Short mmCIF file of all heavy atoms in Angstrom, two decimals:
data_model
loop_
_atom_site.label_atom_id
_atom_site.label_comp_id
_atom_site.label_asym_id
_atom_site.label_seq_id
_atom_site.Cartn_x
_atom_site.Cartn_y
_atom_site.Cartn_z
N MET A 13 -18.93 139.58 162.38
CA MET A 13 -18.83 138.61 163.37
C MET A 13 -19.28 137.27 162.81
O MET A 13 -20.28 137.19 162.13
CB MET A 13 -19.69 139.02 164.59
CG MET A 13 -19.66 138.02 165.69
SD MET A 13 -20.77 138.36 167.07
CE MET A 13 -19.99 139.78 167.80
N SER A 14 -18.49 136.21 163.09
CA SER A 14 -18.87 134.96 162.55
C SER A 14 -19.89 134.22 163.45
O SER A 14 -19.90 134.40 164.66
CB SER A 14 -17.65 134.04 162.46
OG SER A 14 -17.08 133.80 163.72
N GLU A 15 -20.72 133.47 162.82
CA GLU A 15 -21.82 132.76 163.53
C GLU A 15 -21.33 131.36 163.87
O GLU A 15 -20.70 130.70 163.12
CB GLU A 15 -23.04 132.70 162.66
CG GLU A 15 -24.20 132.03 163.33
CD GLU A 15 -25.44 132.05 162.50
OE1 GLU A 15 -25.59 132.94 161.65
OE2 GLU A 15 -26.27 131.16 162.64
N VAL A 16 -21.60 130.93 165.09
CA VAL A 16 -21.26 129.56 165.47
C VAL A 16 -22.35 128.61 165.00
O VAL A 16 -23.53 128.78 165.38
CB VAL A 16 -21.16 129.50 167.05
CG1 VAL A 16 -20.86 128.08 167.50
CG2 VAL A 16 -20.08 130.43 167.55
N VAL A 17 -22.00 127.61 164.17
CA VAL A 17 -22.96 126.67 163.66
C VAL A 17 -22.65 125.26 164.25
O VAL A 17 -21.57 124.74 164.01
CB VAL A 17 -22.91 126.63 162.11
CG1 VAL A 17 -23.90 125.58 161.64
CG2 VAL A 17 -23.21 127.96 161.55
N ILE A 18 -23.58 124.77 165.05
CA ILE A 18 -23.40 123.48 165.70
C ILE A 18 -24.67 122.69 165.45
O ILE A 18 -25.69 123.02 166.05
CB ILE A 18 -23.16 123.64 167.25
CG1 ILE A 18 -21.93 124.52 167.45
CG2 ILE A 18 -22.91 122.28 167.88
CD1 ILE A 18 -21.76 125.08 168.84
N PRO A 19 -24.65 121.71 164.52
CA PRO A 19 -25.85 121.03 164.10
C PRO A 19 -26.43 120.04 165.11
O PRO A 19 -27.52 119.55 164.97
CB PRO A 19 -25.45 120.36 162.83
CG PRO A 19 -23.96 120.11 163.03
CD PRO A 19 -23.47 121.26 163.76
N SER A 20 -25.70 119.62 166.11
CA SER A 20 -26.12 118.56 167.03
C SER A 20 -27.31 119.07 167.96
O SER A 20 -27.30 120.20 168.36
CB SER A 20 -24.93 118.15 167.97
OG SER A 20 -25.40 117.25 168.88
N PRO A 21 -28.23 118.15 168.30
CA PRO A 21 -29.26 118.52 169.24
C PRO A 21 -28.77 118.63 170.67
O PRO A 21 -29.46 119.20 171.52
CB PRO A 21 -30.28 117.38 169.09
CG PRO A 21 -29.51 116.21 168.65
CD PRO A 21 -28.38 116.76 167.79
N LEU A 22 -27.56 118.20 170.96
CA LEU A 22 -26.97 118.32 172.30
C LEU A 22 -25.66 119.12 172.17
O LEU A 22 -24.89 118.91 171.28
CB LEU A 22 -26.69 116.94 172.88
CG LEU A 22 -27.90 116.08 173.15
CD1 LEU A 22 -27.45 114.68 173.67
CD2 LEU A 22 -28.83 116.74 174.16
N LEU A 23 -25.42 120.01 173.13
CA LEU A 23 -24.22 120.81 173.16
C LEU A 23 -23.36 120.41 174.37
O LEU A 23 -23.87 120.16 175.45
CB LEU A 23 -24.60 122.26 173.35
CG LEU A 23 -25.51 122.88 172.32
CD1 LEU A 23 -25.94 124.30 172.78
CD2 LEU A 23 -24.77 123.04 170.99
N THR A 24 -22.04 120.36 174.13
CA THR A 24 -21.14 120.19 175.24
C THR A 24 -20.99 121.54 175.92
O THR A 24 -21.43 122.56 175.45
CB THR A 24 -19.72 119.73 174.76
OG1 THR A 24 -19.20 120.78 173.92
CG2 THR A 24 -19.82 118.38 173.96
N LEU A 25 -20.31 121.59 177.08
CA LEU A 25 -20.08 122.82 177.79
C LEU A 25 -19.29 123.76 176.89
O LEU A 25 -19.55 124.94 176.81
CB LEU A 25 -19.39 122.57 179.08
CG LEU A 25 -19.05 123.74 179.88
CD1 LEU A 25 -20.35 124.33 180.53
CD2 LEU A 25 -18.01 123.52 180.97
N GLU A 26 -18.29 123.18 176.14
CA GLU A 26 -17.48 124.02 175.27
C GLU A 26 -18.33 124.56 174.12
O GLU A 26 -18.18 125.76 173.75
CB GLU A 26 -16.26 123.19 174.76
CG GLU A 26 -15.31 122.85 175.81
CD GLU A 26 -15.71 121.70 176.72
OE1 GLU A 26 -16.66 120.99 176.43
OE2 GLU A 26 -15.08 121.63 177.80
N ASN A 27 -19.21 123.77 173.57
CA ASN A 27 -20.12 124.30 172.47
C ASN A 27 -21.03 125.41 173.04
O ASN A 27 -21.22 126.40 172.34
CB ASN A 27 -21.03 123.14 171.96
CG ASN A 27 -20.24 122.04 171.28
OD1 ASN A 27 -20.69 120.91 171.35
ND2 ASN A 27 -19.16 122.35 170.57
N LEU A 28 -21.56 125.16 174.20
CA LEU A 28 -22.42 126.20 174.82
C LEU A 28 -21.67 127.50 175.10
O LEU A 28 -22.19 128.55 174.77
CB LEU A 28 -23.01 125.67 176.09
CG LEU A 28 -23.94 126.61 176.91
CD1 LEU A 28 -25.16 126.98 176.06
CD2 LEU A 28 -24.32 125.99 178.18
N ALA A 29 -20.44 127.38 175.58
CA ALA A 29 -19.60 128.54 175.77
C ALA A 29 -19.37 129.33 174.51
O ALA A 29 -19.51 130.57 174.47
CB ALA A 29 -18.31 128.17 176.46
N ALA A 30 -19.06 128.58 173.41
CA ALA A 30 -18.78 129.24 172.15
C ALA A 30 -20.09 129.95 171.64
O ALA A 30 -20.06 131.05 171.10
CB ALA A 30 -18.35 128.22 171.11
N LEU A 31 -21.24 129.26 171.80
CA LEU A 31 -22.50 129.86 171.37
C LEU A 31 -22.87 131.10 172.09
O LEU A 31 -23.36 132.09 171.54
CB LEU A 31 -23.66 128.78 171.53
CG LEU A 31 -25.01 129.14 171.04
CD1 LEU A 31 -25.00 129.24 169.50
CD2 LEU A 31 -25.97 128.08 171.46
N LEU A 32 -22.52 131.14 173.39
CA LEU A 32 -22.86 132.32 174.25
C LEU A 32 -21.68 133.31 174.25
O LEU A 32 -21.82 134.36 174.93
CB LEU A 32 -23.15 131.85 175.66
CG LEU A 32 -24.32 130.98 175.87
CD1 LEU A 32 -24.44 130.53 177.29
CD2 LEU A 32 -25.62 131.62 175.41
N HIS A 33 -20.62 133.06 173.48
CA HIS A 33 -19.46 133.94 173.48
C HIS A 33 -18.84 134.15 174.86
O HIS A 33 -18.58 135.27 175.28
CB HIS A 33 -19.78 135.26 172.81
CG HIS A 33 -20.21 135.13 171.44
ND1 HIS A 33 -19.39 134.85 170.35
CD2 HIS A 33 -21.50 135.24 170.84
CE1 HIS A 33 -20.10 134.73 169.26
NE2 HIS A 33 -21.33 134.98 169.50
N ARG A 34 -18.78 133.03 175.59
CA ARG A 34 -18.19 133.05 176.90
C ARG A 34 -17.09 131.95 176.99
O ARG A 34 -17.01 131.15 176.03
CB ARG A 34 -19.21 132.64 178.02
CG ARG A 34 -20.49 133.46 177.94
CD ARG A 34 -20.65 134.50 179.05
NE ARG A 34 -19.98 134.34 180.29
CZ ARG A 34 -20.57 134.06 181.46
NH1 ARG A 34 -21.86 133.85 181.48
NH2 ARG A 34 -19.89 134.05 182.57
N THR A 35 -16.34 131.90 178.06
CA THR A 35 -15.42 130.83 178.26
C THR A 35 -16.07 129.69 178.95
O THR A 35 -17.11 129.91 179.66
CB THR A 35 -14.19 131.31 179.09
OG1 THR A 35 -14.65 131.70 180.35
CG2 THR A 35 -13.47 132.48 178.41
N PRO A 36 -15.61 128.48 178.85
CA PRO A 36 -16.17 127.35 179.59
C PRO A 36 -16.22 127.66 181.09
O PRO A 36 -17.18 127.36 181.77
CB PRO A 36 -15.29 126.18 179.24
CG PRO A 36 -14.79 126.50 177.84
CD PRO A 36 -14.57 128.00 177.88
N SER A 37 -15.16 128.25 181.65
CA SER A 37 -15.17 128.57 183.07
C SER A 37 -16.22 129.69 183.38
O SER A 37 -16.78 129.60 184.52
CB SER A 37 -13.76 128.98 183.53
OG SER A 37 -13.35 130.18 182.89
N GLY A 38 -16.48 130.52 182.46
CA GLY A 38 -17.55 131.52 182.69
C GLY A 38 -18.91 130.87 182.73
O GLY A 38 -19.78 131.29 183.50
N VAL A 39 -19.17 129.92 181.89
CA VAL A 39 -20.42 129.18 181.92
C VAL A 39 -20.53 128.36 183.20
O VAL A 39 -21.58 128.36 183.82
CB VAL A 39 -20.56 128.25 180.67
CG1 VAL A 39 -21.84 127.39 180.76
CG2 VAL A 39 -20.59 129.08 179.41
N ARG A 40 -19.46 127.75 183.65
CA ARG A 40 -19.50 127.02 184.95
C ARG A 40 -19.81 127.95 186.09
O ARG A 40 -20.60 127.62 186.94
CB ARG A 40 -18.16 126.38 185.14
CG ARG A 40 -17.89 125.12 184.41
CD ARG A 40 -16.57 124.42 184.86
NE ARG A 40 -16.16 123.51 183.83
CZ ARG A 40 -15.28 123.77 182.89
NH1 ARG A 40 -14.68 124.95 182.87
NH2 ARG A 40 -14.94 122.88 182.00
N ALA A 41 -19.24 129.19 186.07
CA ALA A 41 -19.52 130.14 187.07
C ALA A 41 -20.99 130.55 187.05
O ALA A 41 -21.60 130.69 188.11
CB ALA A 41 -18.63 131.33 186.93
N THR A 42 -21.57 130.72 185.94
CA THR A 42 -22.95 131.09 185.75
C THR A 42 -23.80 129.98 186.31
O THR A 42 -24.84 130.27 186.96
CB THR A 42 -23.29 131.34 184.24
OG1 THR A 42 -22.50 132.44 183.77
CG2 THR A 42 -24.77 131.66 184.09
N LEU A 43 -23.44 128.69 186.08
CA LEU A 43 -24.26 127.57 186.53
C LEU A 43 -24.26 127.49 188.03
O LEU A 43 -25.17 126.91 188.65
CB LEU A 43 -23.69 126.24 185.91
CG LEU A 43 -24.01 126.08 184.45
CD1 LEU A 43 -23.23 124.90 183.90
CD2 LEU A 43 -25.51 125.89 184.20
N HIS A 44 -23.30 128.11 188.72
CA HIS A 44 -23.25 128.09 190.17
C HIS A 44 -23.99 129.24 190.81
O HIS A 44 -24.18 129.28 191.99
CB HIS A 44 -21.79 128.11 190.67
CG HIS A 44 -21.04 126.77 190.50
ND1 HIS A 44 -21.21 125.97 189.40
CD2 HIS A 44 -20.29 126.09 191.32
CE1 HIS A 44 -20.49 124.89 189.53
NE2 HIS A 44 -19.91 124.90 190.70
N CYS A 45 -24.54 130.12 189.98
CA CYS A 45 -25.30 131.24 190.49
C CYS A 45 -26.72 130.89 190.75
O CYS A 45 -27.18 129.79 190.25
CB CYS A 45 -25.29 132.41 189.45
SG CYS A 45 -23.69 133.15 189.17
N HIS A 46 -27.43 131.69 191.53
CA HIS A 46 -28.86 131.41 191.83
C HIS A 46 -29.70 132.53 191.15
O HIS A 46 -30.25 133.33 191.80
CB HIS A 46 -29.02 131.40 193.33
CG HIS A 46 -28.28 130.36 194.01
ND1 HIS A 46 -28.61 129.02 193.89
CD2 HIS A 46 -27.14 130.36 194.74
CE1 HIS A 46 -27.75 128.29 194.56
NE2 HIS A 46 -26.84 129.08 195.12
N THR A 47 -29.66 132.53 189.80
CA THR A 47 -30.40 133.48 189.00
C THR A 47 -31.38 132.69 188.13
O THR A 47 -31.24 131.44 187.94
CB THR A 47 -29.48 134.31 188.14
OG1 THR A 47 -28.83 133.51 187.18
CG2 THR A 47 -28.52 135.11 188.95
N GLU A 48 -32.31 133.40 187.54
CA GLU A 48 -33.28 132.78 186.66
C GLU A 48 -32.62 132.23 185.40
O GLU A 48 -32.89 131.11 184.97
CB GLU A 48 -34.38 133.81 186.21
CG GLU A 48 -35.39 133.19 185.28
CD GLU A 48 -36.41 134.19 184.78
OE1 GLU A 48 -36.51 135.31 185.38
OE2 GLU A 48 -37.08 133.89 183.81
N PHE A 49 -31.60 132.93 184.87
CA PHE A 49 -30.90 132.49 183.71
C PHE A 49 -30.12 131.22 184.05
O PHE A 49 -30.12 130.25 183.24
CB PHE A 49 -29.90 133.61 183.25
CG PHE A 49 -29.18 133.24 181.96
CD1 PHE A 49 -29.85 133.34 180.78
CD2 PHE A 49 -27.85 132.86 182.01
CE1 PHE A 49 -29.18 132.98 179.55
CE2 PHE A 49 -27.19 132.53 180.82
CZ PHE A 49 -27.85 132.56 179.60
N ALA A 50 -29.44 131.14 185.15
CA ALA A 50 -28.71 129.97 185.58
C ALA A 50 -29.65 128.80 185.76
O ALA A 50 -29.37 127.66 185.40
CB ALA A 50 -27.92 130.26 186.82
N ASP A 51 -30.82 129.04 186.34
CA ASP A 51 -31.81 127.99 186.56
C ASP A 51 -32.28 127.42 185.20
O ASP A 51 -32.49 126.23 185.08
CB ASP A 51 -33.00 128.49 187.38
CG ASP A 51 -32.60 128.76 188.83
OD1 ASP A 51 -31.57 128.26 189.30
OD2 ASP A 51 -33.35 129.46 189.48
N ARG A 52 -32.42 128.29 184.21
CA ARG A 52 -32.90 127.82 182.90
C ARG A 52 -31.79 127.03 182.21
O ARG A 52 -32.10 126.05 181.59
CB ARG A 52 -33.25 129.05 182.06
CG ARG A 52 -34.42 129.88 182.55
CD ARG A 52 -35.81 129.39 182.20
NE ARG A 52 -36.01 129.14 180.76
CZ ARG A 52 -36.42 130.06 179.89
NH1 ARG A 52 -36.74 131.26 180.25
NH2 ARG A 52 -36.62 129.67 178.67
N LEU A 53 -30.52 127.46 182.41
CA LEU A 53 -29.43 126.66 181.86
C LEU A 53 -29.37 125.30 182.54
O LEU A 53 -29.19 124.27 181.86
CB LEU A 53 -28.09 127.37 182.08
CG LEU A 53 -27.70 128.52 181.16
CD1 LEU A 53 -26.35 129.04 181.51
CD2 LEU A 53 -27.67 128.03 179.69
N LYS A 54 -29.54 125.25 183.85
CA LYS A 54 -29.53 123.99 184.55
C LYS A 54 -30.65 123.04 184.08
O LYS A 54 -30.44 121.84 184.06
CB LYS A 54 -29.64 124.26 186.07
CG LYS A 54 -28.40 124.93 186.66
CD LYS A 54 -28.65 125.24 188.06
CE LYS A 54 -27.69 126.22 188.64
NZ LYS A 54 -27.96 126.72 190.02
N SER A 55 -31.80 123.63 183.84
CA SER A 55 -32.92 122.79 183.34
C SER A 55 -32.68 122.21 181.95
O SER A 55 -33.33 121.25 181.59
CB SER A 55 -34.23 123.59 183.36
OG SER A 55 -34.25 124.55 182.35
N ALA A 56 -31.70 122.78 181.21
CA ALA A 56 -31.41 122.24 179.88
C ALA A 56 -30.35 121.19 179.89
O ALA A 56 -30.03 120.58 178.84
CB ALA A 56 -30.96 123.39 179.01
N ARG A 57 -29.78 120.83 181.10
CA ARG A 57 -28.74 119.87 181.24
C ARG A 57 -29.34 118.43 181.02
O ARG A 57 -30.42 118.14 181.54
CB ARG A 57 -28.03 119.95 182.59
CG ARG A 57 -27.21 121.10 182.73
CD ARG A 57 -26.44 121.05 184.01
NE ARG A 57 -27.33 121.06 185.17
CZ ARG A 57 -26.93 121.22 186.39
NH1 ARG A 57 -25.66 121.33 186.71
NH2 ARG A 57 -27.82 121.24 187.40
N VAL A 58 -28.51 117.60 180.41
CA VAL A 58 -28.85 116.24 180.19
C VAL A 58 -27.56 115.42 180.56
O VAL A 58 -26.48 115.75 180.05
CB VAL A 58 -29.24 115.90 178.77
CG1 VAL A 58 -29.44 114.39 178.54
CG2 VAL A 58 -30.46 116.66 178.37
N LYS A 59 -27.69 114.40 181.40
CA LYS A 59 -26.51 113.60 181.73
C LYS A 59 -26.59 112.32 181.02
O LYS A 59 -27.56 111.57 181.11
CB LYS A 59 -26.43 113.37 183.25
CG LYS A 59 -25.16 112.76 183.67
CD LYS A 59 -25.02 112.80 185.14
CE LYS A 59 -23.66 112.18 185.52
NZ LYS A 59 -23.42 112.23 186.92
N LEU A 60 -25.58 111.99 180.23
CA LEU A 60 -25.47 110.70 179.51
C LEU A 60 -24.24 110.02 180.01
O LEU A 60 -23.09 110.49 179.65
CB LEU A 60 -25.41 110.93 177.96
CG LEU A 60 -26.63 111.51 177.34
CD1 LEU A 60 -26.37 111.78 175.87
CD2 LEU A 60 -27.83 110.59 177.49
N GLY A 61 -24.40 109.02 180.78
CA GLY A 61 -23.23 108.39 181.41
C GLY A 61 -22.60 109.42 182.40
O GLY A 61 -23.28 109.97 183.24
N ARG A 62 -21.30 109.71 182.23
CA ARG A 62 -20.62 110.64 183.05
C ARG A 62 -20.55 112.02 182.41
O ARG A 62 -20.00 112.93 183.02
CB ARG A 62 -19.22 110.15 183.39
CG ARG A 62 -19.23 108.87 184.18
CD ARG A 62 -17.83 108.25 184.37
NE ARG A 62 -16.89 109.28 184.79
CZ ARG A 62 -15.58 109.11 184.83
NH1 ARG A 62 -15.10 107.89 184.46
NH2 ARG A 62 -14.74 109.98 185.27
N ARG A 63 -21.06 112.17 181.23
CA ARG A 63 -20.92 113.41 180.50
C ARG A 63 -22.22 114.26 180.68
O ARG A 63 -23.31 113.74 180.70
CB ARG A 63 -20.67 113.18 179.05
CG ARG A 63 -19.43 112.37 178.80
CD ARG A 63 -18.94 112.48 177.38
NE ARG A 63 -17.77 111.68 177.15
CZ ARG A 63 -16.56 112.25 177.15
NH1 ARG A 63 -16.38 113.51 177.40
NH2 ARG A 63 -15.51 111.44 176.94
N ILE A 64 -22.00 115.58 180.67
CA ILE A 64 -23.09 116.53 180.80
C ILE A 64 -23.22 117.24 179.44
O ILE A 64 -22.20 117.72 178.86
CB ILE A 64 -22.81 117.54 181.92
CG1 ILE A 64 -22.58 116.91 183.23
CG2 ILE A 64 -23.92 118.62 181.93
CD1 ILE A 64 -23.83 116.24 183.81
N TYR A 65 -24.42 117.26 178.92
CA TYR A 65 -24.75 118.00 177.69
C TYR A 65 -25.86 118.95 177.96
O TYR A 65 -26.53 118.95 179.00
CB TYR A 65 -25.18 117.05 176.60
CG TYR A 65 -24.10 116.05 176.19
CD1 TYR A 65 -24.08 114.77 176.79
CD2 TYR A 65 -23.16 116.40 175.27
CE1 TYR A 65 -23.03 113.87 176.41
CE2 TYR A 65 -22.17 115.54 174.85
CZ TYR A 65 -22.14 114.27 175.46
OH TYR A 65 -21.16 113.41 175.06
N PHE A 66 -26.18 119.86 177.05
CA PHE A 66 -27.22 120.83 177.17
C PHE A 66 -28.12 120.68 175.88
O PHE A 66 -27.60 120.65 174.75
CB PHE A 66 -26.66 122.22 177.22
CG PHE A 66 -25.81 122.44 178.48
CD1 PHE A 66 -24.48 122.14 178.49
CD2 PHE A 66 -26.43 122.97 179.58
CE1 PHE A 66 -23.76 122.33 179.63
CE2 PHE A 66 -25.65 123.12 180.78
CZ PHE A 66 -24.34 122.83 180.77
N ARG A 67 -29.42 120.69 176.10
CA ARG A 67 -30.33 120.52 174.95
C ARG A 67 -30.37 121.77 174.14
O ARG A 67 -30.63 122.90 174.64
CB ARG A 67 -31.75 120.24 175.52
CG ARG A 67 -31.89 118.83 176.05
CD ARG A 67 -33.30 118.54 176.45
NE ARG A 67 -34.25 118.88 175.46
CZ ARG A 67 -35.59 118.92 175.67
NH1 ARG A 67 -35.99 118.55 176.87
NH2 ARG A 67 -36.41 119.30 174.73
N ARG A 68 -30.05 121.66 172.90
CA ARG A 68 -29.93 122.80 171.96
C ARG A 68 -31.28 123.49 171.82
O ARG A 68 -31.28 124.74 171.78
CB ARG A 68 -29.42 122.31 170.63
CG ARG A 68 -29.35 123.36 169.56
CD ARG A 68 -28.28 124.37 169.92
NE ARG A 68 -28.31 125.56 169.02
CZ ARG A 68 -27.43 125.79 168.15
NH1 ARG A 68 -26.44 124.98 167.93
NH2 ARG A 68 -27.51 126.87 167.35
N ASP A 69 -32.37 122.79 171.72
CA ASP A 69 -33.67 123.41 171.63
C ASP A 69 -34.01 124.36 172.78
O ASP A 69 -34.50 125.42 172.57
CB ASP A 69 -34.77 122.39 171.31
CG ASP A 69 -34.93 121.40 172.46
OD1 ASP A 69 -33.97 121.15 173.21
OD2 ASP A 69 -36.06 120.82 172.57
N LEU A 70 -33.69 123.88 173.98
CA LEU A 70 -34.00 124.72 175.15
C LEU A 70 -33.06 125.91 175.24
O LEU A 70 -33.46 127.01 175.67
CB LEU A 70 -33.91 123.88 176.41
CG LEU A 70 -34.94 122.76 176.56
CD1 LEU A 70 -34.72 121.97 177.84
CD2 LEU A 70 -36.35 123.32 176.44
N ILE A 71 -31.81 125.73 174.86
CA ILE A 71 -30.83 126.82 174.81
C ILE A 71 -31.25 127.91 173.81
O ILE A 71 -31.22 129.12 174.09
CB ILE A 71 -29.44 126.32 174.57
CG1 ILE A 71 -28.95 125.38 175.64
CG2 ILE A 71 -28.44 127.49 174.37
CD1 ILE A 71 -28.92 126.00 177.05
N ASP A 72 -31.67 127.43 172.61
CA ASP A 72 -32.14 128.39 171.61
C ASP A 72 -33.38 129.16 172.08
O ASP A 72 -33.46 130.36 171.89
CB ASP A 72 -32.51 127.65 170.29
CG ASP A 72 -31.28 127.16 169.57
OD1 ASP A 72 -30.17 127.61 169.82
OD2 ASP A 72 -31.49 126.24 168.70
N GLN A 73 -34.27 128.52 172.73
CA GLN A 73 -35.49 129.10 173.28
C GLN A 73 -35.06 130.12 174.37
O GLN A 73 -35.67 131.20 174.42
CB GLN A 73 -36.41 128.05 173.90
CG GLN A 73 -37.68 128.58 174.49
CD GLN A 73 -38.54 127.49 175.04
OE1 GLN A 73 -38.24 126.34 175.04
NE2 GLN A 73 -39.68 127.87 175.60
N LEU A 74 -34.18 129.80 175.25
CA LEU A 74 -33.67 130.69 176.30
C LEU A 74 -33.05 131.94 175.68
O LEU A 74 -33.30 133.03 176.17
CB LEU A 74 -32.67 129.96 177.15
CG LEU A 74 -31.94 130.82 178.24
CD1 LEU A 74 -32.94 131.39 179.18
CD2 LEU A 74 -30.94 129.92 178.97
N ILE A 75 -32.29 131.76 174.58
CA ILE A 75 -31.64 132.88 173.98
C ILE A 75 -32.69 133.81 173.39
O ILE A 75 -32.66 135.05 173.50
CB ILE A 75 -30.64 132.44 172.86
CG1 ILE A 75 -29.44 131.78 173.56
CG2 ILE A 75 -30.14 133.62 172.01
CD1 ILE A 75 -28.47 131.07 172.66
N VAL A 76 -33.67 133.24 172.70
CA VAL A 76 -34.77 134.06 172.10
C VAL A 76 -35.53 134.84 173.11
O VAL A 76 -35.81 136.01 173.01
CB VAL A 76 -35.70 133.15 171.26
CG1 VAL A 76 -36.97 133.88 170.84
CG2 VAL A 76 -34.99 132.62 169.99
N GLU A 77 -35.92 134.18 174.21
CA GLU A 77 -36.66 134.79 175.30
C GLU A 77 -35.83 135.86 176.04
O GLU A 77 -36.39 136.85 176.45
CB GLU A 77 -37.18 133.79 176.26
CG GLU A 77 -38.28 132.86 175.63
CD GLU A 77 -38.67 131.76 176.55
OE1 GLU A 77 -38.22 131.62 177.73
OE2 GLU A 77 -39.55 130.94 176.11
N SER A 78 -34.54 135.68 176.17
CA SER A 78 -33.75 136.57 176.86
C SER A 78 -33.37 137.80 176.05
O SER A 78 -33.22 138.86 176.61
CB SER A 78 -32.40 135.90 177.30
OG SER A 78 -32.66 134.86 178.23
N THR A 79 -33.21 137.64 174.76
CA THR A 79 -32.81 138.75 173.94
C THR A 79 -33.94 139.31 173.06
O THR A 79 -33.76 140.42 172.58
CB THR A 79 -31.69 138.30 173.00
OG1 THR A 79 -32.17 137.27 172.10
CG2 THR A 79 -30.48 137.82 173.72
N GLY A 80 -34.96 138.54 172.85
CA GLY A 80 -36.04 139.06 171.93
C GLY A 80 -35.72 138.92 170.49
O GLY A 80 -36.40 139.51 169.64
N ILE A 81 -34.65 138.24 170.11
CA ILE A 81 -34.25 138.08 168.71
C ILE A 81 -35.06 136.96 168.08
O ILE A 81 -35.24 135.91 168.57
CB ILE A 81 -32.75 137.79 168.62
CG1 ILE A 81 -31.96 138.97 169.16
CG2 ILE A 81 -32.31 137.52 167.18
CD1 ILE A 81 -30.45 138.80 169.18
#
């Protein structure tokens, strides 16, 4: 399995979807849920102008805490 390498400190929705092996619409659906995982994803959001990004450091921390890897 190939690893997704994205060096930026901010991820677009498409980058986040690739990192999580989901589709962008799947990530959007998750963001509309009322779960702890969705709340953590929402807390990693950053709005710059009209664009929404996700902080890579918080996403990495969420993955580690969720999977134990």
Side-chain angles (χ1 to χ4, degrees):
M13 181 185 288
S14 64
E15 183 177 332
V16 177
V17 178
I18 305 164
S20 174
L22 296 175
L23 302 171
T24 63
L25 180 74
E26 291 76 16
N27 296 146
L28 178 60
L31 185 67
L32 297 176
H33 300 286
R34 306 257 334 253
T35 63
S37 60
V39 174
R40 283 187 200 95
T42 299
L43 289 168
H44 284 43
C45 294
H46 298 288
T47 63
E48 181 183 344
F49 184 76
D51 290 341
R52 299 275 308 271
L53 280 180
K54 292 174 194 173
S55 70
R57 287 187 298 190
V58 175
K59 188 169 183 178
L60 295 175
R62 293 174 51 189
R63 300 193 182 265
I64 302 292
Y65 296 95
F66 297 85
R67 288 185 46 191
R68 176 66 189 253
D69 60 335
L70 295 179
I71 297 299
D72 288 342
Q73 180 182 0
L74 174 61
I75 291 170
V76 168
E77 291 173 1
S78 295
T79 62
I81 298 175

